[in-house]
Amino acid sequence: MAHVLVVDDEKNIRTHLASYLRGLGHHVDTAESAPDALAIVDRQPLDVIFSDVRMAGMDGLALLREIRRRRPDAVVVLMTAYATVAGAVEAMRAGAYDYLVKPFALDEVGLLLGRVLEVQGLRRENRQLRQVVDEPALLESASPAMQRVLATARQVAKSDVTILLTGESGTGKNVLASAIHAWSDRADGPFVTIACTTLSDHLLESELFGHVKGAFTGAWKDKPGRLAAAAGGTVFLDEVGELPHEMQAKLLRFLEEHRFERVGDDTTVEIDTRVLAATNRDLEVEVRAGRFREDLYFRLNVVALHLPPLRERLPDLSALTEHLLAVLTARYRRDPIRLAPEAQSALAAYSWPGNVRELVHALERAVVLSRDDVIRVEDLPDRLLAPGAAGTVAPAAPADASLSLEDLERRHIRQVLAESSTLEEAAARLGINPTTLWRKRKRWGLE
């Protein structure tokens, strides 16, 4: 059952629609004006709001914007007898979920409401599952090394010191960054993640600092950057080791002064935000190779937290597996599932190069493929059962002292790609982010 609000200054429409929705089993409130609607919005949570567009005083679009500000999770559907393409576009830009043209059939309203509630239910379920999966998977550990990391993280969370999180891909650096924000005095502020691997150099600068209208082709309006969005909170730079050299210099200036200019603008912006960064690269090696600025490395590395790989957290494997199975069976609406002894042995013997992320994917596959309430060894990915699975992936060829580190990396990645059925599987075996692997593959022509 949903809680629905109907807003319309025409009594017949208001009462007729409310009666129909109540007949579907929903709790319905009505309002004849926008101010009356806002009073109800402030009083209680609402799932869906059906609002007329043309009303005296505050119209439906203004009401929509105010609802989005006060109740961002509420879905708003606008209703009007004066439909135009421009009006529909404006409604969608303002945050409307959909647009009903009067007169409409009540069955149309019922189908639309069913669709809305299904989407809302999936979003709630995903949020709950993400929280359940992430936090216990990282924030509870029997490993002394992981316990030390968590204790230090809690201690430094209350300060504004810059923290560098290091470790292999899939160890949970993003989850720990979110937890540090939640433990800090900035917990009520925004937590903004910037993925340094997903955008081109030009777009990354705009994403970080923002731009003004006309700064470049496609900049048709002013846009604040992600750093500005993190004001009063925390910004998390994921895979900071992938930043191009020019961007490293601009980031260093921001870390030192908390000031920057938007792309195409001479006005200096100053914001207050806490910076966390993460990388799966060895930045000391990158500094010696000239690929990462030494001054930026020391500025980021005020407090360093190294997350151990899963193969060094084997005391946690059993609890992690049990917890993840409970979450995944709920996600796929399965009855409780247990591991057969030989499957447990296979999990324990594997080295988990992709760490917790790879464990999640392996168990997800097993839950989907299992035919009853037992996961057997044949339900697990083949790589867990292959000869040598307990060790790491072997290089493509014996090391040649005449080859550069980049040449060796390219050889190794070529072989892993050839042995893997998907890009995600190869990334898990290599212990890197799939986006990072995609960029390396493209750069070296390993299609």
Side-chain angles (χ1 to χ4, degrees), residues 144-220:
M146 193 65 186
Q147 288 175 350
R148 286 193 295 271
V149 169
L150 295 173
T152 304
R154 286 184 180 275
Q155 183 178 351
V156 299
K158 296 297 182 183
S159 70
D160 273 347
V161 67
T162 303
I163 299 174
L164 179 63
L165 305 175
T166 63
E168 297 175 7
S169 181
T171 51
K173 298 183 290 295
N174 58 329
V175 181
L176 182 56
S178 178
I180 290 172
H181 171 71
W183 296 332
S184 75
D185 294 334
R186 295 175 176 268
D188 292 335
F191 177 75
V192 177
T193 297
I194 300 173
C196 300
T197 59
T198 57
L199 298 170
S200 66
D201 298 355
H202 182 65
L203 291 177
L204 181 58
E205 183 177 5
S206 172
E207 186 74 8
L208 274 169
F209 303 112
H211 63 254
V212 296
K213 181 180 178 180
F216 51 84
T217 303
W220 57 277

Side-chain angles (χ1 to χ4, degrees), residues 282-399:
D282 186 334
L283 290 188
E284 291 187 1
V285 172
E286 297 297 301
V287 168
R288 289 195 295 270
R291 292 187 290 267
F292 201 82
R293 293 179 61 111
E294 184 178 37
D295 47 5
L296 177 57
Y297 169 64
F298 287 124
R299 188 63 187 81
L300 289 170
N301 194 32
V302 179
V303 173
L305 297 174
H306 182 76
L307 278 72
L310 182 56
R311 61 184 173 274
E312 296 176 10
R313 293 177 54 190
L314 290 182
D316 295 336
L317 183 61
S318 177
L320 277 170
T321 300
E322 182 178 346
H323 173 77
L324 290 171
L325 283 177
V327 172
L328 291 167
T329 51
R331 174 183 295 173
Y332 292 104
R333 296 174 175 83
R334 295 288 305 271
D335 292 332
I337 296 177
R338 60 184 176 85
L339 284 166
E342 66 274 13
Q344 290 179 332
S345 299
L347 295 182
Y350 187 60
S351 65
W352 300 108
N355 297 294
V356 177
R357 182 186 294 126
E358 186 182 12
L359 175 63
V360 172
H361 292 166
L363 293 175
E364 185 172 25
R365 177 187 189 276
V367 166
V368 171
L369 293 180
S370 62
R371 293 174 293 280
D372 47 34
D373 62 350
V374 178
I375 291 176
R376 296 174 175 81
V377 69
E378 58 266 24
D379 298 323
L380 298 173
D382 291 343
R383 64 180 179 274
L384 272 68
L385 314 175
T392 55
V393 177

Side-chain angles (χ1 to χ4, degrees), residues 1-4 21-22 24-28 47 113 117 124:
M1 181 181 75
H3 195 160
V4 183
L21 293 172
R22 289 188 184 107
L24 295 178
H26 302 296
H27 179 80
V28 184
D47 296 304
L113 181 58
L117 296 179
R124 276 194 297 268

Side-chain angles (χ1 to χ4, degrees), residues 244-316:
H245 218 267
E246 182 182 353
M247 288 299 301
Q248 293 176 27
K250 294 181 179 181
L251 176 60
L252 176 63
R253 183 206 169 194
F254 171 73
L255 290 172
E256 291 177 339
E257 303 176 6
H258 283 265
R259 297 178 181 178
F260 61 89
E261 289 81 38
R262 293 184 296 173
V263 178
D265 194 8
D266 294 329
T267 304
T268 299
V269 179
E270 183 173 353
I271 65 166
D272 170 35
T273 188
R274 199 252 187 94
V275 177
L276 308 177
T279 182
N280 59 19
R281 289 179 175 265
D282 186 334
L283 290 188
E284 291 187 1
V285 172
E286 297 297 301
V287 168
R288 289 195 295 270
R291 292 187 290 267
F292 201 82
R293 293 179 61 111
E294 184 178 37
D295 47 5
L296 177 57
Y297 169 64
F298 287 124
R299 188 63 187 81
L300 289 170
N301 194 32
V302 179
V303 173
L305 297 174
H306 182 76
L307 278 72
L310 182 56
R311 61 184 173 274
E312 296 176 10
R313 293 177 54 190
L314 290 182
D316 295 336

